[in-house]
Amino acid sequence: MRLKVLGCGGGIGSDSHTTAMLLDEDILIDAGTGVGTLALDDLLRIDHIFVTHAHLDHIAFIPFLVDTAGSLRDRPLVVHALPSTLACLQAHIFNWHIWPDFSCIPDAAHPYMRYEPITVDEAVVLGSRRITPLPACHIVPAVGFQLDSGQSSLVFTGDTAADDTLWEAINQISNLRYLIIESAFSDAGQDIAARSGHFHPTMLVNELNKLQHDAEIYITHLRQGEAEVTMREILAGVTRFSPRRLMSNQIFEF
């Protein structure tokens, strides 16, 4: 499996894009503004989108992708997410007010987009690839994902804060190679991090002590203007690991 980071920032501007990752050529993991960096031919190859949660920085380019590629495809784009997340997309985005309902365009029998509900701990198998939703703790219903090639796994936590069930799931992954985990705020913003369901460095460092594997760790969702201080605070606190900053265009093969 090959994962390319299209966007991993906590905001936009100065070449920063919000969360989106391209798995092989046909799967998106989240669909933030990073999707906009892809060429049309790349967009047309995408068959599946796996969504961690309904917040705009993770779903903003689903409407544009479907609108751009839908009429040029011979099968619907499949959006995989929790039932509550799919309900948000239907009620608040694809509702004929914000955007057309592409799940019934051009007609219900031949839609440009199809919804597929997922369940925590139940893998979606696409060829030899297994994508398993993992528990997450956010201000809205959310998941992370285990991407398993059969040889090794990468875990992307999505947006989350402290959650023992997440670590229990991660620690059961015997072939874990990479962990991508967020810290959306520096310690100066720990109050809003707590209210909004995000990590800050002190909390993240404490939680990383629950990891029982020697995985490579990358930090995502760093905010513009705070990235450097957030990474310094994380590196000052860890003792067992050497987390690195996740970067756009970074590629993982596993």
Side-chain angles (χ1 to χ4, degrees), residues 77-93:
L77 180 72
V78 183
V79 179
H80 306 257
L82 291 172
S84 57
T85 301
L86 296 179
C88 284
L89 291 174
Q90 290 173 299
H92 303 299
I93 303 295

Side-chain angles (χ1 to χ4, degrees), residues 29-45:
I29 308 297
D30 279 338
T33 63
V35 176
T37 64
L38 293 174
L40 178 59
D41 286 346
D42 298 322
L43 297 176
L44 294 177
R45 295 188 186 100

Side-chain angles (χ1 to χ4, degrees), residues 18-21 28-35 49-51 56-63 65:
T18 68
T19 303
M21 293 178 281
L28 283 176
I29 308 297
D30 279 338
T33 63
V35 176
I49 306 174
F50 286 79
V51 181
L56 194 61
D57 55 331
H58 295 255
I59 60 98
F61 268 51
I62 297 177
L65 173 57

Side-chain angles (χ1 to χ4, degrees), residues 195-227:
R195 292 200 303 272
S196 59
H198 285 286
F199 277 124
H200 59 88
T202 297
M203 182 194 299
L204 176 59
V205 167
N206 290 336
E207 290 296 298
L208 285 175
N209 290 326
K210 300 175 182 178
L211 178 62
Q212 298 173 5
H213 299 292
D214 292 325
E216 294 183 34
I217 299 172
Y218 291 85
I219 309 301
T220 188
H221 215 299
L222 296 165
R223 294 174 63 83
Q224 294 275 62
E226 293 185 13

Side-chain angles (χ1 to χ4, degrees), residues 66 76-77 90 94-96 99-115:
V66 180
L77 180 72
Q90 290 173 299
F94 297 101
N95 59 7
W96 294 107
W99 210 246
D101 181 1
F102 284 106
S103 68
C104 60
I105 294 175
D107 57 62
H110 307 90
Y112 289 164
M113 180 177 68
R114 180 169 64 82
Y115 298 113

Side-chain angles (χ1 to χ4, degrees), residues 121-142:
D121 295 329
E122 292 188 9
V124 178
V125 180
L126 299 171
S128 61
R129 304 166 298 183
R130 295 176 62 88
I131 301 174
T132 305
L134 302 177
C137 180
H138 197 36
I139 197 171
V140 297

